[in-house]
């Protein structure tokens, strides 16, 4: 089971990984219909949205992640059209603000409950996990060379368990393969060498995250 300290370290690692993987922002990412700029704008908006949840945990005042799904999508579209240096600055500043805000939460505040954009009520200690998933998986989605195999295996193990729980184990066939490739498969991402228990090539799963 992941600790808070370990999860915060994954956030920092994923943030640095995204930063290094940011290049050619107007080129296509691995996510259908999104340029790399869309991915970066989504990550910057996500840091601000999760910052709202940190504020909620600190103050007790209800501050949801996003105003509405439409508002979120509009911000991604607008952000994706920013010049590359301004988009990178937005990514850096939003990530730093989120890290600072998380660094100042007390043990009691980490235990207080907040509601995610998907409507799940979770303790604030889940916020770093939500962010770690975003920065580490989208570092791969940028499509500039980061692979699931480059991500820390303890993170990948937590991710597999999380995705299985979220998809429902009954909706996912038993599969074999390299653990990093199995994680990519479960996340609905491009993968190689993953087979079902009877040796067939695993059918793609719908996208996730
Ligand atoms: Zn995302």
């Amino acid at each position: 089971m992941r600790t808070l300290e370990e999860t915060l370290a994954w956030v920092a690692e994923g943030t640095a990984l995204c930063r290094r993987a940011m290049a050619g922002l107007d080129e296509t990412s691995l996510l259908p219909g999104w340029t790399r700029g869309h991915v970066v704008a989504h990550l910057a908006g996500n840091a601000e949205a999760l910052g709202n949840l940190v504020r909620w945990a600190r103050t007790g005042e209800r501050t949801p992640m996003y105003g509405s799904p439409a508002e979120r999508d509009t911000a991604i579209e607008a952000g994706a059209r920013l010049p590359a240096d301004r988009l990178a600055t937005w990514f850096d500043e939003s990530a730093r603000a989120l890290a600072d805000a998380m660094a100042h939460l007390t043990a009691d505040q980490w235990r207080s409950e907040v509601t995610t954009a998907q409507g799940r009520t979770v303790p604030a200690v889940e916020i770093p996990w939500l962010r770690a998933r975003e920065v580490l998986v989208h570092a791969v989605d940028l499509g500039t060379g980061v692979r699931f195999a480059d991500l820390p295996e303890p993170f990948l193990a937590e991710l597999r368990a999380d995705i299985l729980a979220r998809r429902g184990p009954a909706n996912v066939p038993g599969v074999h393969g390299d653990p990093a490739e199995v994680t990519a498969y479960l996340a609905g991402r491009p993968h190689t060498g993953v087979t079902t228990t009877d040796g067939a090539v695993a059918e793609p799963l719908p996208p996730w995250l």
Side-chain angles (χ1 to χ4, degrees):
M1 195 55 196
R2 59 183 181 261
T3 64
L4 174 58
E5 194 179 34
E6 182 179 28
T7 313
L8 288 169
W10 291 337
V11 172
E13 181 173 349
T15 301
L17 206 52
C18 282
R19 201 61 183 76
R20 289 198 300 274
M22 263 182 222
L25 293 183
D26 50 2
E27 290 173 35
T28 53
S29 73
L30 301 186
L31 293 177
W34 271 13
T35 64
R36 293 172 191 163
H38 283 97
V39 177
V40 175
H42 162 55
L43 284 168
N46 171 264
E48 294 179 350
L50 291 174
N52 289 342
L53 295 189
V54 175
R55 187 171 138 210
W56 183 345
R58 193 181 71 244
T59 64
E61 181 199 341
R62 184 184 174 83
T63 44
M65 289 178 70
Y66 298 103
S68 68
E71 197 177 292
R72 168 187 175 272
D73 293 347
T74 304
I76 292 171
E77 283 301 329
R81 286 195 298 270
L82 287 173
D85 57 339
R86 284 190 52 203
L87 191 46
T89 301
W90 185 26
F91 175 84
D92 289 344
E93 288 178 352
S94 61
R96 195 174 311 125
L98 177 62
D100 286 350
M102 291 196 298
H104 288 93
L105 284 191
T106 64
D108 271 354
Q109 289 165 347
W110 279 121
R111 280 191 290 270
S112 64
E113 288 191 329
V114 296
T115 304
T116 70
Q118 287 77 38
R120 285 194 308 132
T121 297
V122 296
V125 75
E126 284 296 294
I127 297 170
W129 171 247
L130 299 177
R131 182 61 178 172
R133 282 188 341 193
E134 291 290 325
V135 284
L136 287 165
V137 174
H138 289 321
V140 178
D141 292 331
L142 282 169
T144 53
V146 179
R147 301 161 308 146
F148 274 81
D150 298 320
L151 309 183
E153 171 52 30
F155 165 77
L156 293 175
E158 290 282 330
L159 187 62
R160 289 191 293 274
D162 188 12
I163 296 173
L164 274 175
R166 213 56 52 80
R167 287 192 185 278
N171 300 318
V172 179
V175 290
H176 288 304
D178 175 82
E181 293 300 326
V182 169
T183 314
Y185 165 74
L186 289 173
R189 270 31 181 208
H191 58 270
T192 50
V194 178
T195 57
T196 58
T197 36
D198 54 12
V201 173
E203 288 295 318
L205 292 172
W208 167 91
L209 196 80

